[in-house]
Amino acid sequence: SATNRLMLVGVSVGNSTGGNSRPTNIVYGAQALTRVRTNQLIAVTWWPNTEIWQLTNPSSGTATVLVQMAGTRPLAVGVVTFSGVNPTNPLTSTNMIATGTGTTASITVTNADFFYGVVSVVKGTATIGITSAVSQTSQTYERTNGTTYLMHRSDTKAGSTNTTMSWNWAGTNCDWAIVAVGINAASVTGGGTNMASFTQAPVLCENLNLPAGGVISVTNYVNVTNGVMPGSPNITARLSRFISWIMRA
């Protein structure tokens, strides 16, 4: 199985005025998760609550994610597991939150290799689904029906110094709350201490699809400015899509 894994659980709760129902405990099988951040909008009618919980190195195989609640309210949960994450410092920038009312929701995220964001949207009548910004990858989507209509979506986005995650929906204004975290990639291991990397710019006009079992060739030119390059240097290379590595060599 993949190494250096991180499980993140996004939770959306559809509270009405004065409500503060929230998870009290989350477990994956016998493993307990830790709350990373909670964020609730205090609005006129609806008080949506969004939370992110984490578990480093979850057990391999299949198990149930059980969410225990304080109070009974509409609830939506999404689970995403990443690999290739820094095992000692998996998360950074855990204080990224935003709330508001309208037909769009957004948050500024900063300083991480990768971002994971969860938005909760609540209103009293049915709405269509949430649309993610094109630069984001949708991970989970849930919607509940009833007296309170709750929409939940979690997305990921490639990291940078400063960028925005956003969502929108049609119809009338809705109350929303966002929590986002930054994810740190595991360090490259090998015989050297230097690392070179690049980000494709401009972005490709369409998705790059690699055939399973295909061969990837990389030509690397090194200019030695000090010392002597050994005859058989120990060089590690990896191709990644966000945090999950596609290839290591």
Side-chain angles (χ1 to χ4, degrees), residues 55-75:
L55 174 62
T56 56
N57 291 320
S59 299
S60 300
T62 302
T64 299
V65 173
L66 176 64
V67 180
Q68 296 178 321
M69 292 286 296
T72 302
R73 293 301 302 165
L75 174 69

Side-chain angles (χ1 to χ4, degrees), residues 97-112:
I97 58 175
T99 57
T101 300
T103 57
T104 62
S106 65
I107 187 170
T108 299
V109 290
T110 59
N111 299 324

Side-chain angles (χ1 to χ4, degrees), residues 52-201:
I52 293 178
W53 292 59
Q54 71 166 337
L55 174 62
T56 56
N57 291 320
S59 299
S60 300
T62 302
T64 299
V65 173
L66 176 64
V67 180
Q68 296 178 321
M69 292 286 296
T72 302
R73 293 301 302 165
L75 174 69
V77 179
V79 183
V80 182
T81 301
F82 304 89
S83 61
V85 177
N86 188 308
T88 58
N89 185 30
L91 297 181
T92 186
S93 304
T94 58
N95 197 37
M96 297 182 292
I97 58 175
T99 57
T101 300
T103 57
T104 62
S106 65
I107 187 170
T108 299
V109 290
T110 59
N111 299 324
D113 297 311
F114 197 56
F115 298 108
Y116 170 76
V118 181
V119 61
S120 305
V121 182
V122 181
K123 68 172 301 184
T125 56
T127 62
I128 66 171
I130 305 173
T131 301
S132 303
V134 295
S135 59
Q136 297 163 203
T137 301
S138 179
Q139 299 295 334
T140 61
Y141 172 71
E142 295 291 340
R143 187 177 76 174
T144 67
N145 295 318
T147 305
T148 302
Y149 288 84
L150 168 69
M151 293 185 290
H152 157 103
R153 186 178 284 281
S154 73
D155 285 6
T156 50
K157 186 173 183 176
S160 68
T161 301
N162 193 317
T163 190
T164 299
M165 299 185 74
S166 63
W167 299 262
N168 66 81
W169 50 91
T172 58
N173 291 343
C174 298
D175 299 323
W176 54 267
I178 300 172
V179 174
V181 296
I183 304 174
N184 294 321
S187 300
V188 177
T189 59
T193 58
N194 298 318
M195 182 176 68
S197 63
F198 77 95
T199 301
Q200 175 66 37

